[in-house]
Amino acid sequence: MGLAGPVPRTRIQQANSVLFWGKRRDTAPMRALPISRTARRRFAIADGAGQTAAGGGAEALPSPAAARRLAANLPAARRLAAAVNATRQPGEPSAQAGELAALELLHEIGHLVVEKAAEADPAASMAQSATVVASGLGVLPFGNLVAAVAEEFPDVAAAAVPDRIEELLLVRIANENPAARPLRALVDDDPLPRLERNGAMQALEAYHANRTPLGPNGETLVELLRAPARAHPTSLAGQLRYIRGLWGSFLGASLEELLDRLTLTLDVMAEEERGLHLRFGGGGGFGDGPGHGEAPSYAGLDAEPERFSSDSAWMPRLVLIAKSSHVWLDQLSRRHGRAIRTLDAIPDAELDRLARWGVTGLWLIGLWERSKASRRIKEWRGNPDATASAYSLDDYRIAEDLGGEAAWADLRHRAWARGIRLASDMVPNHMGIDSRWVAEHPEWFLSTSEPPYPAYTFGGANLAEDGRMEIRLEDHYWDNSDAAVVYERRDPWTGEHRYIYHGNDGTSFPWNDTAQLDFSQAAVREQVILTILDVARRFPVIRFDAAMVLARKHVRRLWF
């Protein structure tokens, strides 16, 4: 049936029967945002059978039913937002996944409001409202309208007439919402017969204007549905906060059930808004390149008390000197006029000099075997003389170019003979992107099965030397157009694609030569604890890099 085609007389007669109009259940299920048939065709959105509205298939976006809870299915929401953005003209506002989730949530809350209105005033029910609209429009125009709603919005095709009128009302509210403009193409009601649509809205407004006020400020149903957009016309997040702050007493337990989703949606939108203001700062390793972020605040969080020994027998007298291992060896080579490349080649005279100065601790930065990919990234970015980041590690073993474990043991023995303890760095939250851990246990790292942003692509060269995997940075990293929060790990044997998050402490951009460990896994926590103990057996002094990343509250705030 066409959108404006005639409706058979028998169908119109049925519209006046209880059978066709149906009886609205007291506990009607929540309904997701209805995506129009026009939008399904335009953006290749699959229906419930996996086919697009236009008959396509393999490349279709997920169906609305599959992405019903968009706030909890961000990849689906991001793909849909990206499809909408691809049709934007220059200067038009772009759609964000969080906004899509917010619009869906506003729509569901609208259904709650309609239900609560009927409970407070039975005459305000959609069954009674639909009768009023039918009387105002006339039988044939009304029949054409309800048929057109079912045709253009397939999610309500099987719904009773009052439910279609309810959907028409809420879709019109969404179309009127200025903050929803970037997403209007998904719910555009222009294909509906305009004269009948506008007449129905006028009838609804006039009828409910004379009903019992419902809202906290004395609004009737239609005005209450419009209130959030009028209070915050430029912000869907502001509209959700408005509802959370003012509608709790009206919606009661029904709103309480949605608060977790509402909070999650607001968090997603806040992160997206923050991300829109950030600019890529360059660099390829820990501390490289400019960039700044919002420092974490722990105000109001439960205390997580320290649990460590006082080490009062020696720590108060520790005088620690820091040396970048490779730089120091180069300096010593020039001072002594010979090549000093390994730890066991450090002259006793240099250790004697430190002891005379009163130094009791030697902190050597960059002792561990570093990521080869970290160095390769810097070389590919135009710095052929760069070394890998000292904080992008392949494994916790003494670097071979420093002489390995034997050279370290020799230095440790000679230093301790002079009362000097060796100190080492420990990086507790991440490893190098090509590390042994990533090769052998990719499941230990925070990852997703698909890129978190639809625009991410990974077509660059393989950075891994280990044949068990291929790793690629996000393509936009190379031209400084995106900081990129994940990289791709491909398994050449199984074909698995895993998108692993780069390390981050929440104060800067991601460190693009690192892979973030997933501390929500007991196996990962156990492995890190065992590694800490192994390092502690070799070094009596450990400097934890960004130590706050081990705190339970910090992990939860930053990643979950």
Side-chain angles (χ1 to χ4, degrees), residues 493-510:
W493 304 104
T494 66
E496 178 198 48
H497 287 56
R498 186 185 292 262
Y499 299 91
I500 299 177
Y501 279 84
H502 291 297
N504 199 337
D505 66 356
T507 64
S508 182
F509 292 99

Side-chain angles (χ1 to χ4, degrees), residues 31-336:
R31 282 164 287 185
L33 185 71
I35 307 298
S36 73
R37 189 177 299 276
T38 300
R40 294 171 192 234
R41 290 170 178 154
R42 182 179 182 185
F43 303 119
I45 301 171
D47 60 21
Q51 300 296 312
T52 67
E59 299 303 321
L61 291 166
S63 68
R68 177 175 175 81
R69 293 292 178 257
L70 294 173
N73 190 354
L74 286 176
R78 284 168 176 151
R79 289 198 302 273
L80 187 51
V84 173
N85 289 335
T87 67
R88 294 278 87 98
Q89 297 299 317
E92 286 189 309
S94 62
Q96 302 296 323
E99 291 178 332
L100 183 53
L103 187 61
E104 180 187 61
L105 194 51
L106 286 169
H107 188 82
E108 292 194 23
I109 291 172
H111 282 298
L112 273 179
V113 171
V114 171
E115 291 174 4
K116 291 297 182 181
E119 292 174 7
D121 178 9
S125 69
M126 278 298 113
Q128 187 63 34
S129 299
T131 302
V132 171
V133 172
S135 176
L137 290 182
V139 173
L140 281 174
F142 180 73
N144 282 334
L145 178 62
V146 295
V149 170
E151 175 70 15
E152 181 61 14
F153 296 96
D155 289 341
V156 298
V161 168
D163 294 315
R164 298 189 198 182
I165 295 302
E166 179 177 331
E167 208 67 58
L168 171 69
L169 169 62
L170 296 180
V171 166
R172 181 92 291 264
I173 295 296
N175 276 262
E176 293 175 354
N177 192 334
R181 179 188 165 198
L183 299 166
R184 187 182 173 188
L186 297 175
V187 294
D188 191 358
D189 61 1
D190 275 351
L192 300 179
R194 183 167 299 184
L195 186 63
E196 289 86 346
R197 182 199 68 191
N198 293 343
M201 283 300 300
Q202 291 170 5
L204 287 170
E205 290 175 17
Y207 176 67
H208 284 280
N210 295 316
R211 306 308 321 151
T212 304
L214 302 167
N217 296 317
E219 304 98 335
T220 52
L221 176 60
V222 178
E223 291 306 303
L224 185 60
L225 291 170
R226 288 173 170 154
R230 288 179 173 171
H232 297 276
T234 63
S235 171
L236 294 177
Q239 293 171 30
L240 290 176
R241 293 189 187 97
Y242 174 91
I243 290 170
R244 185 173 62 184
L246 292 181
W247 288 10
S249 58
F250 171 62
L251 295 178
S254 299
L255 182 60
E256 289 291 329
E257 293 174 2
L258 293 178
L259 280 182
D260 285 345
R261 282 184 54 213
L262 192 154
T263 301
L264 174 60
T265 301
L266 290 174
D267 286 347
V268 169
M269 297 178 77
E271 287 299 317
E272 288 178 337
E273 183 177 357
R274 177 170 174 250
L276 288 174
H277 293 290
L278 293 177
R279 292 295 181 267
F280 183 72
F286 177 84
D288 293 338
H292 62 280
E294 178 184 349
S297 170
Y298 300 100
L301 294 179
D302 295 335
E304 196 168 351
E306 301 90 348
R307 289 179 292 178
F308 51 77
S309 60
S310 64
D311 293 317
S312 56
W314 62 272
M315 188 174 286
R317 294 186 295 277
L318 178 66
V319 178
L320 194 65
I321 188 170
K323 296 287 187 180
S324 177
S325 300
H326 289 90
V327 174
W328 191 37
L329 292 177
D330 182 68
Q331 292 170 341
L332 294 179
S333 297
R334 281 182 271 174
R335 178 182 299 164
H336 291 270

